[in-house]
Coordinates of all heavy atoms in Angstrom, one line a residue:
Chain B
Y950 N 146.1 60.4 -0.6 CA 145.6 60.4 -2.0 C 146.6 59.8 -3.0 O 146.2 59.1 -3.9 CB 145.1 61.8 -2.4 CG 143.9 62.3 -1.6 CD1 144.1 63.5 -0.7 CD2 142.7 61.7 -1.7 CE1 143.1 63.8 0.1 CE2 141.6 62.1 -0.9 CZ 141.8 63.2 0.0 OH 140.8 63.6 0.7
E951 N 147.9 60.2 -2.7 CA 149.0 59.7 -3.6 C 149.0 58.1 -3.5 O 148.9 57.4 -4.6 CB 150.3 60.3 -3.2 CG 150.5 61.6 -3.8 CD 151.6 62.4 -3.0 OE1 152.4 61.6 -2.5 OE2 151.5 63.6 -3.0
A952 N 148.9 57.6 -2.3 CA 148.9 56.2 -2.0 C 147.7 55.5 -2.6 O 147.9 54.5 -3.4 CB 148.8 55.9 -0.6
A953 N 146.6 56.2 -2.6 CA 145.4 55.7 -3.2 C 145.5 55.6 -4.8 O 144.9 54.6 -5.3 CB 144.1 56.5 -2.8
S954 N 146.0 56.7 -5.4 CA 146.1 56.7 -6.8 C 147.1 55.5 -7.3 O 146.8 55.1 -8.3 CB 146.6 58.1 -7.2 OG 147.9 58.3 -7.0
I955 N 148.1 55.3 -6.5 CA 149.0 54.2 -6.9 C 148.2 52.9 -6.8 O 148.3 52.0 -7.7 CB 150.2 54.1 -5.9 CG1 151.1 55.3 -6.1 CG2 150.9 52.8 -6.1 CD1 152.0 55.4 -5.0
D956 N 147.3 52.8 -5.9 CA 146.4 51.5 -5.8 C 145.2 51.6 -6.8 O 144.4 50.8 -6.8 CB 145.9 51.4 -4.4 CG 147.0 51.0 -3.4 OD1 147.9 50.6 -3.8 OD2 146.7 51.2 -2.2
G957 N 145.2 52.7 -7.6 CA 144.2 52.8 -8.7 C 142.9 53.2 -8.1 O 141.8 52.9 -8.7
A958 N 142.8 53.9 -7.0 CA 141.5 54.5 -6.4 C 141.3 55.9 -7.0 O 142.2 56.7 -6.7 CB 141.5 54.4 -4.9
Y959 N 140.2 56.2 -7.6 CA 139.9 57.4 -8.0 C 138.5 57.9 -7.7 O 137.7 57.1 -7.3 CB 140.0 57.6 -9.5 CG 141.4 57.5 -10.1 CD1 141.9 56.4 -10.6 CD2 142.3 58.6 -9.9 CE1 143.3 56.3 -11.0 CE2 143.6 58.6 -10.3 CZ 144.1 57.4 -10.9 OH 145.4 57.3 -11.2
G960 N 138.2 59.2 -7.8 CA 136.9 59.8 -7.6 C 136.1 59.3 -6.5 O 136.6 59.4 -5.3
W961 N 135.0 58.6 -6.8 CA 134.2 58.2 -5.6 C 134.7 57.4 -4.5 O 134.6 57.6 -3.4 CB 132.8 57.7 -6.3 CG 132.0 57.1 -5.2 CD1 131.7 55.7 -5.0 CD2 131.2 57.9 -4.2 NE1 130.9 55.6 -4.0 CE2 130.5 56.8 -3.5 CE3 131.1 59.1 -3.9 CZ2 129.8 57.2 -2.3 CZ3 130.2 59.5 -2.8 CH2 129.6 58.5 -2.1
S962 N 135.5 56.3 -5.1 CA 136.0 55.3 -4.0 C 137.0 56.1 -3.3 O 137.1 55.8 -2.0 CB 136.7 54.2 -4.8 OG 137.7 54.5 -5.6
C963 N 137.8 57.1 -3.7 CA 138.7 57.9 -3.0 C 137.9 58.6 -1.9 O 138.4 58.5 -0.8 CB 139.4 58.8 -4.0 SG 141.1 59.1 -3.6
F964 N 136.9 59.2 -2.3 CA 136.0 59.9 -1.3 C 135.5 59.1 -0.3 O 135.7 59.3 0.8 CB 135.0 60.7 -2.2 CG 134.1 61.5 -1.4 CD1 134.4 62.7 -0.8 CD2 132.8 61.1 -0.8 CE1 133.6 63.4 0.0 CE2 132.0 61.8 -0.1 CZ 132.4 63.0 0.4
R965 N 135.0 57.9 -0.7 CA 134.3 57.0 0.2 C 135.2 56.4 1.2 O 135.0 56.3 2.4 CB 133.6 55.9 -0.7 CG 133.0 54.8 0.1 CD 131.8 55.1 0.8 NE 131.3 54.0 1.7 CZ 131.8 53.7 2.8 NH1 132.9 54.3 3.3 NH2 131.3 52.7 3.5
Y966 N 136.5 56.1 0.7 CA 137.3 55.2 1.6 C 138.4 56.1 2.2 O 139.1 55.6 3.2 CB 138.0 54.0 0.9 CG 136.8 53.0 0.6 CD1 136.4 52.9 -0.8 CD2 136.3 52.3 1.6 CE1 135.4 52.0 -1.0 CE2 135.3 51.4 1.2 CZ 134.8 51.3 -0.1 OH 133.7 50.4 -0.2
I967 N 138.7 57.2 1.8 CA 139.8 58.0 2.4 C 139.2 59.3 3.0 O 139.3 59.6 4.2 CB 140.9 58.4 1.3 CG1 141.6 57.1 0.8 CG2 141.9 59.4 2.0 CD1 142.5 57.4 -0.2
T968 N 138.5 60.2 2.2 CA 138.1 61.4 2.7 C 137.0 61.3 3.8 O 137.2 61.9 4.9 CB 137.4 62.3 1.5 OG1 138.3 62.2 0.3 CG2 137.2 63.7 1.8
L969 N 136.0 60.5 3.5 CA 134.9 60.4 4.6 C 135.4 59.9 5.9 O 135.2 60.6 7.0 CB 133.8 59.5 4.1 CG 132.6 60.2 3.5 CD1 131.5 59.3 3.2 CD2 132.2 61.5 4.3
P970 N 136.2 58.9 6.0 CA 136.6 58.4 7.3 C 137.5 59.4 8.0 O 137.4 59.6 9.2 CB 137.5 57.1 7.0 CG 137.0 56.6 5.6 CD 136.5 57.8 5.0
L971 N 138.4 60.1 7.3 CA 139.4 61.1 7.9 C 138.6 62.3 8.3 O 139.1 63.0 9.1 CB 140.5 61.4 6.9 CG 141.5 60.2 6.8 CD1 142.4 60.5 5.7 CD2 142.2 60.1 8.0
L972 N 137.4 62.5 7.7 CA 136.7 63.7 8.0 C 135.7 63.5 9.2 O 135.1 64.5 9.6 CB 136.0 64.1 6.7 CG 135.6 65.6 6.5 CD1 136.9 66.4 6.4 CD2 134.8 65.7 5.2
K973 N 135.7 62.3 9.6 CA 134.6 61.9 10.6 C 134.7 62.9 11.9 O 133.6 63.3 12.2 CB 134.8 60.5 11.0 CG 133.5 59.8 11.3 CD 133.5 58.3 11.3 CE 133.6 57.9 12.8 NZ 133.9 56.5 12.9
P974 N 135.8 63.1 12.5 CA 135.7 64.1 13.7 C 135.0 65.3 13.4 O 134.2 65.9 14.2 CB 137.2 64.2 14.1 CG 138.0 63.2 13.4 CD 137.2 62.7 12.2
I975 N 135.5 66.1 12.3 CA 134.9 67.4 12.0 C 133.5 67.3 11.6 O 132.6 68.1 11.9 CB 135.9 68.1 11.0 CG1 135.6 69.6 11.2 CG2 135.6 67.8 9.6 CD1 136.8 70.4 11.4
L976 N 133.1 66.2 10.8 CA 131.7 66.0 10.5 C 130.9 65.9 11.8 O 129.8 66.5 11.8 CB 131.6 64.7 9.7 CG 131.8 64.8 8.2 CD1 131.7 63.4 7.6 CD2 130.8 65.6 7.6
L977 N 131.4 65.2 12.7 CA 130.6 65.0 13.9 C 130.5 66.4 14.6 O 129.5 66.7 15.2 CB 131.4 64.0 14.8 CG 130.6 63.6 16.1 CD1 129.5 62.5 15.6 CD2 131.5 63.2 17.2
Y978 N 131.6 67.1 14.7 CA 131.6 68.4 15.3 C 130.6 69.3 14.7 O 129.7 70.0 15.4 CB 133.0 69.1 15.3 CG 133.0 70.4 15.9 CD1 133.1 70.6 17.3 CD2 132.8 71.6 15.0 CE1 133.0 71.9 17.8 CE2 132.8 72.8 15.6 CZ 132.9 73.1 17.0 OH 132.8 74.3 17.5
V979 N 130.6 69.4 13.3 CA 129.6 70.2 12.6 C 128.2 69.7 12.9 O 127.2 70.5 13.2 CB 129.8 70.1 11.1 CG1 128.7 70.8 10.4 CG2 131.2 70.8 10.8
L980 N 128.0 68.4 12.9 CA 126.6 67.8 13.1 C 126.2 68.2 14.6 O 124.9 68.7 14.7 CB 126.8 66.3 13.1 CG 125.6 65.5 12.6 CD1 125.3 65.9 11.2 CD2 125.8 64.0 12.7
V981 N 126.9 68.1 15.6 CA 126.6 68.4 17.0 C 126.3 69.8 17.1 O 125.4 70.2 17.7 CB 127.5 67.8 18.0 CG1 127.1 68.3 19.4 CG2 127.6 66.3 17.9
T982 N 127.3 70.7 16.7 CA 127.1 72.2 17.0 C 125.8 72.7 16.2 O 125.1 73.4 16.8 CB 128.3 72.9 16.6 OG1 128.7 72.6 15.3 CG2 129.4 72.8 17.6
S983 N 125.6 72.2 15.0 CA 124.5 72.7 14.4 C 123.1 72.1 14.8 O 122.1 72.8 14.8 CB 124.5 72.5 12.7 OG 125.3 71.5 12.4
T984 N 123.2 70.9 15.4 CA 121.9 70.4 16.0 C 121.6 71.2 17.2 O 120.5 71.6 17.6 CB 122.1 68.9 16.4 OG1 122.7 68.2 15.3 CG2 120.7 68.3 16.8
I985 N 122.6 71.5 18.2 CA 122.4 72.3 19.3 C 122.0 73.7 18.9 O 120.9 74.2 19.5 CB 123.7 72.4 20.1 CG1 124.1 71.1 20.7 CG2 123.6 73.5 21.2 CD1 125.5 71.1 21.4
N986 N 122.5 74.3 17.9 CA 122.1 75.5 17.5 C 120.6 75.5 17.0 O 119.9 76.5 17.3 CB 123.1 75.9 16.2 CG 122.9 77.3 15.8 OD1 122.2 78.0 16.6 ND2 123.5 77.6 14.7
A987 N 120.3 74.4 16.3 CA 118.9 74.2 15.8 C 117.9 74.2 16.9 O 116.8 74.6 16.8 CB 118.8 73.2 14.9
F988 N 118.4 73.4 18.0 CA 117.3 73.3 19.1 C 117.1 74.6 19.8 O 116.0 74.7 20.4 CB 118.0 72.3 20.1 CG 117.5 71.0 19.9 CD1 118.1 70.0 19.2 CD2 116.2 70.5 20.5 CE1 117.6 68.7 19.0 CE2 115.7 69.3 20.3 CZ 116.4 68.4 19.6
N989 N 117.9 75.6 19.7 CA 117.8 76.9 20.2 C 116.9 77.8 19.4 O 117.0 79.1 19.5 CB 119.0 77.6 20.7 CG 119.6 76.8 21.9 OD1 118.8 76.5 22.8 ND2 120.9 76.4 21.9
V990 N 116.3 77.4 18.4 CA 115.5 78.2 17.4 C 114.6 79.0 18.2 O 113.8 78.4 18.9 CB 115.0 77.4 16.2 CG1 114.1 76.3 16.7 CG2 114.3 78.5 15.3
F991 N 114.5 80.3 18.0 CA 113.5 81.1 18.5 C 113.2 82.4 17.8 O 112.0 82.7 17.3 CB 113.8 81.5 20.0 CG 112.8 82.4 20.8 CD1 111.7 82.0 21.2 CD2 113.1 83.8 20.8 CE1 110.7 82.8 21.7 CE2 112.2 84.7 21.4 CZ 111.0 84.1 21.9
T992 N 114.3 83.2 17.5 CA 114.1 84.5 16.9 C 113.3 84.4 15.7 O 112.3 85.1 15.3 CB 115.5 85.1 16.6 OG1 116.2 85.0 17.8 CG2 115.3 86.5 16.2
Q993 N 113.7 83.5 14.7 CA 113.0 83.4 13.3 C 111.6 83.0 13.5 O 110.7 83.7 12.8 CB 113.6 82.3 12.4 CG 115.0 82.3 12.2 CD 115.7 81.5 13.2 OE1 115.6 81.7 14.4 NE2 116.5 80.4 12.8
V994 N 111.3 82.2 14.4 CA 109.9 81.8 14.8 C 109.1 83.0 15.1 O 108.0 83.3 14.5 CB 109.8 80.6 15.6 CG1 108.4 80.3 16.0 CG2 110.6 79.5 15.1
Y995 N 109.7 83.7 16.1 CA 108.9 84.8 16.7 C 108.7 85.9 15.5 O 107.6 86.4 15.5 CB 109.8 85.4 17.7 CG 109.1 86.5 18.6 CD1 108.4 86.1 19.8 CD2 109.0 87.8 18.3 CE1 107.7 87.0 20.5 CE2 108.3 88.8 19.0 CZ 107.7 88.3 20.1 OH 107.0 89.2 20.9
V996 N 109.7 86.2 14.8 CA 109.6 87.2 13.7 C 108.7 86.8 12.6 O 107.9 87.5 12.0 CB 111.0 87.7 13.3 CG1 110.9 88.6 12.1 CG2 111.8 88.3 14.3
M997 N 108.9 85.6 12.1 CA 108.4 85.2 10.9 C 106.9 84.6 11.0 O 106.0 84.8 10.1 CB 109.1 84.1 10.1 CG 110.4 84.7 9.5 SD 111.5 83.6 9.0 CE 110.8 83.0 7.5
T998 N 106.6 83.9 12.1 CA 105.2 83.3 12.1 C 104.2 83.9 13.0 O 103.2 83.5 13.2 CB 105.4 81.7 12.4 OG1 105.7 81.6 13.7 CG2 106.3 81.2 11.5
L999 N 104.8 85.0 13.8 CA 103.9 85.7 14.7 C 103.5 87.1 14.1 O 104.0 87.3 12.9 CB 104.5 85.9 16.1 CG 104.7 84.6 16.7 CD1 105.6 85.0 18.1 CD2 103.5 83.9 17.2
G1000 N 102.6 87.7 14.7 CA 102.4 89.1 14.3 C 101.0 89.3 13.7 O 100.2 88.4 13.9
S1001 N 100.8 90.3 13.1 CA 99.4 90.6 12.7 C 98.8 89.7 11.7 O 97.5 89.5 11.7 CB 99.3 92.1 12.1 OG 100.4 92.2 11.2
Q1002 N 99.5 89.0 10.8 CA 98.9 88.2 9.9 C 98.6 86.8 10.4 O 97.6 86.3 10.0 CB 99.8 87.9 8.6 CG 99.9 89.2 7.7 CD 101.4 89.5 7.4 OE1 102.2 89.4 8.2 NE2 101.6 89.9 6.2
A1003 N 99.5 86.3 11.2 CA 99.3 85.0 11.8 C 98.7 85.0 13.2 O 99.4 85.6 14.0 CB 100.5 84.1 11.7
A1004 N 97.7 84.3 13.6 CA 97.2 84.3 14.9 C 98.2 83.5 15.7 O 98.7 82.4 15.1 CB 95.9 83.7 15.0
P1005 N 98.5 83.8 16.9 CA 99.6 83.1 17.7 C 99.4 81.6 17.8 O 100.3 80.8 17.8 CB 99.4 83.7 19.1 CG 98.8 85.1 18.8 CD 97.9 85.0 17.7
G1006 N 98.1 81.2 17.9 CA 97.9 79.8 18.0 C 98.3 79.0 16.8 O 98.6 77.7 16.8
R1007 N 98.4 79.7 15.5 CA 98.7 78.9 14.4 C 100.3 79.0 14.0 O 100.7 78.4 13.1 CB 97.9 79.5 13.2 CG 96.5 79.6 13.4 CD 95.8 80.2 12.3 NE 95.7 79.3 11.2 CZ 95.2 79.5 10.1 NH1 94.6 80.7 9.9 NH2 95.2 78.7 9.1
A1008 N 101.0 79.7 15.0 CA 102.4 79.7 14.7 C 103.1 78.4 14.8 O 102.5 77.5 15.4 CB 103.1 80.7 15.7
V1009 N 104.2 78.2 14.2 CA 105.0 77.0 14.3 C 105.5 77.0 15.7 O 106.3 77.9 16.2 CB 106.2 77.0 13.4 CG1 107.0 75.7 13.6 CG2 105.8 77.1 11.9
R1010 N 105.1 76.0 16.6 CA 105.5 76.0 18.0 C 106.8 75.2 18.1 O 106.9 74.1 17.6 CB 104.4 75.2 18.7 CG 103.7 76.1 19.8 CD 102.9 75.3 20.7 NE 102.9 75.9 22.0 CZ 102.4 77.1 22.2 NH1 101.9 77.9 21.3 NH2 102.4 77.6 23.5
V1011 N 107.8 76.0 18.7 CA 109.1 75.2 18.9 C 109.3 75.3 20.5 O 108.6 76.1 21.1 CB 110.3 75.9 18.1 CG1 110.2 75.5 16.6 CG2 110.3 77.4 18.4
L1012 N 110.3 74.6 20.9 CA 110.5 74.4 22.3 C 110.7 75.8 23.1 O 110.1 76.1 24.0 CB 111.6 73.5 22.5 CG 111.8 72.9 23.9 CD1 110.5 72.2 24.5 CD2 113.0 71.9 23.9
L1013 N 111.6 76.6 22.5 CA 111.9 77.8 23.1 C 110.7 78.7 23.3 O 110.3 79.6 24.1 CB 113.1 78.6 22.6 CG 114.5 78.2 23.1 CD1 115.5 79.0 22.4 CD2 114.5 78.5 24.6
Y1014 N 109.9 78.7 22.1 CA 108.7 79.6 22.1 C 107.6 79.0 23.2 O 107.1 79.8 23.8 CB 107.9 79.5 20.7 CG 106.9 80.5 20.8 CD1 107.0 81.9 20.8 CD2 105.6 80.1 20.9 CE1 106.1 82.8 20.8 CE2 104.5 81.0 21.0 CZ 104.8 82.3 21.0 OH 103.7 83.2 21.1
D1015 N 107.6 77.7 23.3 CA 106.7 77.2 24.4 C 107.1 77.7 25.8 O 106.3 78.1 26.6 CB 106.6 75.7 24.3 CG 105.3 75.2 24.7 OD1 104.3 75.6 24.3 OD2 105.2 74.2 25.5
I1016 N 108.5 77.6 26.0 CA 109.1 78.1 27.2 C 108.7 79.6 27.4 O 108.2 80.1 28.5 CB 110.6 77.9 27.3 CG1 110.8 76.4 27.2 CG2 111.2 78.5 28.5 CD1 112.4 76.0 27.1
Y1017 N 108.9 80.3 26.4 CA 108.7 81.8 26.5 C 107.2 82.1 26.8 O 106.9 82.9 27.6 CB 109.1 82.3 25.1 CG 108.6 83.8 24.9 CD1 109.5 84.8 25.5 CD2 107.6 84.3 24.2 CE1 109.2 86.2 25.4 CE2 107.2 85.6 24.2 CZ 108.0 86.5 24.6 OH 107.8 87.9 24.6
E1018 N 106.3 81.4 26.2 CA 105.0 81.6 26.4 C 104.5 81.3 27.8 O 103.8 82.0 28.5 CB 104.1 81.0 25.3 CG 102.7 81.5 25.3 CD 101.8 80.9 24.1 OE1 101.4 79.8 24.2 OE2 101.6 81.8 23.1
N1019 N 104.9 80.0 28.1 CA 104.5 79.6 29.5 C 105.1 80.5 30.6 O 104.5 80.7 31.7 CB 104.9 78.1 29.7 CG 103.9 77.2 29.2 OD1 102.7 77.4 29.2 ND2 104.4 76.1 28.5
G1020 N 106.4 80.9 30.4 CA 107.1 81.7 31.3 C 106.7 83.1 31.4 O 106.4 83.6 32.6
F1021 N 106.6 83.7 30.3 CA 106.5 85.2 30.3 C 105.1 85.7 29.8 O 104.9 86.8 29.8 CB 107.6 85.8 29.5 CG 108.9 85.3 30.0 CD1 109.7 84.4 29.4 CD2 109.4 85.9 31.2 CE1 111.0 84.0 30.0 CE2 110.6 85.5 31.9 CZ 111.3 84.5 31.2
R1022 N 104.2 84.8 29.4 CA 102.9 85.2 29.0 C 101.9 84.8 30.1 O 101.1 85.5 30.5 CB 102.4 84.7 27.6 CG 101.1 85.5 27.2 CD 100.9 85.2 25.8 NE 101.8 85.9 24.9 CZ 101.8 85.7 23.5 NH1 101.2 84.9 23.0 NH2 102.7 86.5 22.8
Y1023 N 102.0 83.5 30.5 CA 101.2 82.9 31.6 C 101.8 82.9 33.0 O 101.2 82.6 33.9 CB 100.7 81.5 31.2 CG 100.1 81.4 29.8 CD1 100.5 80.4 29.0 CD2 99.2 82.3 29.3 CE1 100.0 80.3 27.7 CE2 98.7 82.3 28.0 CZ 99.1 81.3 27.2 OH 98.6 81.2 25.9
F1024 N 103.2 83.3 33.0 CA 103.9 83.4 34.2 C 103.7 82.1 35.0 O 103.8 82.1 36.3 CB 103.4 84.6 35.1 CG 103.8 85.9 34.4 CD1 102.8 86.6 33.9 CD2 105.1 86.3 34.2 CE1 103.1 87.8 33.3 CE2 105.3 87.5 33.5 CZ 104.4 88.2 33.0
R1025 N 103.8 80.9 34.3 CA 103.9 79.7 35.0 C 105.4 79.4 35.0 O 106.0 78.5 34.2 CB 103.1 78.6 34.2 CG 101.7 78.9 34.1 CD 101.1 78.0 33.0 NE 101.0 76.6 33.4 CZ 100.6 75.6 32.5 NH1 100.6 75.9 31.3 NH2 100.6 74.4 33.0
L1026 N 106.2 80.0 36.0 CA 107.6 79.8 35.9 C 108.1 78.5 36.2 O 109.1 78.1 35.6 CB 108.2 80.9 36.9 CG 107.8 82.4 36.7 CD1 108.6 83.2 37.6 CD2 108.1 82.7 35.2
G1027 N 107.4 77.8 37.2 CA 107.9 76.4 37.5 C 107.8 75.5 36.3 O 108.7 74.7 36.0
Y1028 N 106.7 75.7 35.6 CA 106.4 74.7 34.5 C 107.3 75.0 33.4 O 107.9 74.1 32.8 CB 104.9 75.0 34.1 CG 104.3 74.0 33.1 CD1 104.2 72.7 33.4 CD2 104.1 74.3 31.8 CE1 103.7 71.7 32.6 CE2 103.6 73.3 30.9 CZ 103.4 72.0 31.3 OH 103.0 71.2 30.3
A1029 N 107.5 76.3 33.1 CA 108.5 76.7 32.0 C 109.9 76.2 32.3 O 110.6 75.8 31.5 CB 108.4 78.1 31.9
S1030 N 110.1 76.3 33.7 CA 111.5 75.9 34.1 C 111.7 74.4 33.7 O 112.9 73.9 33.3 CB 111.7 76.1 35.6 OG 111.8 77.4 35.8
A1031 N 110.7 73.6 34.0 CA 110.8 72.1 33.7 C 111.1 71.9 32.2 O 111.8 71.1 31.9 CB 109.4 71.5 34.1
E1032 N 110.5 72.7 31.4 CA 110.6 72.6 29.9 C 112.1 73.0 29.7 O 112.7 72.4 28.8 CB 109.7 73.5 29.2 CG 108.3 73.1 29.2 CD 107.4 74.1 28.3 OE1 107.0 75.1 28.7 OE2 107.1 73.8 27.1
A1033 N 112.6 74.0 30.3 CA 113.9 74.5 30.1 C 114.9 73.4 30.4 O 116.0 73.2 29.9 CB 114.2 75.8 30.9
V1034 N 114.6 72.6 31.6 CA 115.5 71.6 32.0 C 115.5 70.5 30.9 O 116.5 69.9 30.6 CB 115.0 71.0 33.3 CG1 115.6 69.8 33.6 CG2 115.2 72.0 34.5

Side-chain angles (χ1 to χ4, degrees):
Chain B
Y950 294 111
E951 279 160 26
S954 73
I955 292 166
D956 290 342
Y959 289 104
W961 171 249
S962 61
C963 216
F964 179 78
R965 168 75 186 78
Y966 294 105
I967 296 173
T968 313
L969 265 189
L971 289 169
L972 207 57
K973 220 166 93 188
I975 202 126
L976 273 175
L977 189 81
Y978 176 80
V979 171
L980 212 63
V981 171
T982 47
S983 29
T984 311
I985 291 175
N986 193 7
F988 262 95
N989 289 315
V990 58
F991 177 74
T992 310
Q993 306 93 299
V994 177
Y995 192 92
V996 174
M997 283 167 83
T998 70
L999 294 173
S1001 43
Q1002 287 136 315
R1007 304 179 74 181
V1009 177
R1010 244 190 147 68
V1011 290
L1012 198 47
L1013 270 182
Y1014 184 75
D1015 209 48
I1016 295 174
Y1017 172 79
E1018 198 172 75
N1019 279 320
F1021 301 103
R1022 191 167 288 167
Y1023 308 134
F1024 296 110
R1025 301 163 71 195
L1026 301 186
Y1028 192 67
S1030 295
E1032 293 186 275
V1034 168

